[in-house]
């Protein structure tokens, strides 16, 4: 049986830089690194499982959302000049749905 390859966190981070248009070794790259680490931890906390490629892909998607929401932390909605914006709180449903198959259930003994 073939041994599964380890998850490629560095590869996903490089793709994240490309997607966001951020160059390595810049102050923005340091912010993206930190956001990606937070996103990975959030996905691992939600699934209660170990790091895998599908979880890293969803963490990348979550990091993009987190990066784009900078400056609006803590806001549920905003209205300026007749334009209203609503923000999804917590882990977005699209990411929860994608992570659901990798979620490990808690069990209790009675």
């Amino acid at each position: 049986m073939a041994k599964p390859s380890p998850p490629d966190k560095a590869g996903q981070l490089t793709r994240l830089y490309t997607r966001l248009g951020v160059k390595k070794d810049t102050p923005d790259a340091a912010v993206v690194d930190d956001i990606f680490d937070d996103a990975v931890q959030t996905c691992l906390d939600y699934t209660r499982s170990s790091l895998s490629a599908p979880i890293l892909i969803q963490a990348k998607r979550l990091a993009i959302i987190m990066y784009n929401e900078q400056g609006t932390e803590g806001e549920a909605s905003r209205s300026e000049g007749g334009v209203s914006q609503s923000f999804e709180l917590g882990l977005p449903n699209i990411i929860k749905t994608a992570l659901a198959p990798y979620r490990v259930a808690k069990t209790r003994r009675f």
Side-chain angles (χ1 to χ4, degrees):
M1 180 182 226
K3 184 179 177 184
S5 61
D8 184 21
K9 186 175 178 183
Q12 290 299 327
L13 187 57
T14 301
R15 290 181 186 97
L16 182 58
Y17 290 146
T18 303
R19 179 91 49 100
L20 295 174
V22 173
K23 296 190 187 293
K24 279 187 175 185
D25 302 324
T26 63
D28 283 341
V31 172
V32 171
D33 289 348
D34 187 47
I35 289 173
F36 186 61
D37 287 341
D38 290 349
V40 168
Q41 191 58 52
T42 300
C43 289
L44 290 174
D45 289 346
Y46 180 76
T47 59
R48 297 184 202 100
S49 67
S50 59
L51 197 60
S52 65
I55 290 174
L56 280 174
I57 291 168
Q58 297 311 312
K60 179 180 70 178
R61 292 175 68 194
L62 179 59
I64 292 167
I65 293 168
M66 293 167 75
Y67 183 83
N68 288 329
E69 287 182 345
Q70 288 185 90
T72 62
E73 291 93 345
E75 292 185 77
S77 64
R78 173 190 288 185
S79 183
E80 291 180 28
V83 177
S84 297
Q85 290 179 313
S86 297
F87 305 104
E88 192 164 4
L89 301 175
L91 196 60
N93 286 333
I94 192 166
I95 293 177
K96 282 183 183 178
T97 302
L99 289 174
Y102 307 99
R103 196 157 190 213
V104 177
K106 281 188 174 180
T107 59
R108 289 190 175 160
R109 289 182 104 170
F110 292 101

